[in-house]
Amino acid sequence: QVQLLESGGGLVQAGDSLRLSCAASGRTFSGYNTAWFRQAPGKEREFVAATIGSVTDYVGSVKGRFTISRDNAKNTVYLQMNSLKPEDTAVYYCAADATITGSYRSSSAWDFWGQGTQVTVSS
């Protein structure tokens, strides 16, 4: 069992940057795949970025602006978000799983979730 706790969200202006953190506890984190998803009001939860083994992947709308990284010594995964846009406004969730079944871009593939952190980007 892994417990995840996100932090770092807030209200920023378009063009600003934020770094989200997701601290894990409960099990050895280094063997887990990790991801970030987001959910805007009235929309489904959307894949943002993932680290699957040594591979990272991003949804097209954030490529070149967002960077996912992790520090296994700190049991923490990060999402650095630059050049933020109003359409990035959402609740951001981190996810973890030791074994991904199906597409990692699908929220159903992930077993462990944080509670979410709100990111609001004003124009």
Side-chain angles (χ1 to χ4, degrees):
Q1 195 79 351
V2 173
Q3 292 81 43
L4 303 173
L5 181 65
E6 302 98 332
S7 62
L11 172 62
V12 297
Q13 293 186 332
D16 286 349
S17 298
L18 276 176
R19 188 177 79 158
L20 305 183
S21 299
C22 175
S25 62
R27 295 285 298 268
T28 302
F29 188 57
S30 60
Y32 279 71
N33 304 297
T34 55
W36 287 93
F37 285 75
R38 65 187 179 187
Q39 189 165 18
K43 295 188 177 182
E44 293 187 354
R45 194 166 294 191
E46 173 192 35
F47 169 79
V48 176
T51 60
I52 307 297
S54 61
V55 176
T56 59
D57 190 28
Y58 300 89
V59 68
S61 60
V62 309
K63 278 184 179 178
R65 300 189 297 122
F66 291 12
T67 303
I68 186 172
S69 63
R70 55 190 293 166
D71 185 337
N72 288 332
K74 296 183 178 180
N75 276 2
T76 301
V77 60
Y78 303 98
L79 185 68
Q80 177 66 45
M81 305 186 295
N82 298 330
S83 302
L84 282 161
K85 303 176 180 179
E87 51 263 43
D88 295 319
T89 295
V91 177
Y92 283 71
Y93 299 89
C94 68
D97 208 323
T99 303
I100 301 299
T101 301
S103 171
Y104 59 80
R105 288 180 170 232
S106 172
S107 60
S108 63
W110 300 84
D111 281 345
F112 303 106
W113 292 86
Q115 85 293 344
T117 185
Q118 176 71 47
V119 172
T120 303
V121 185
S122 63
S123 58

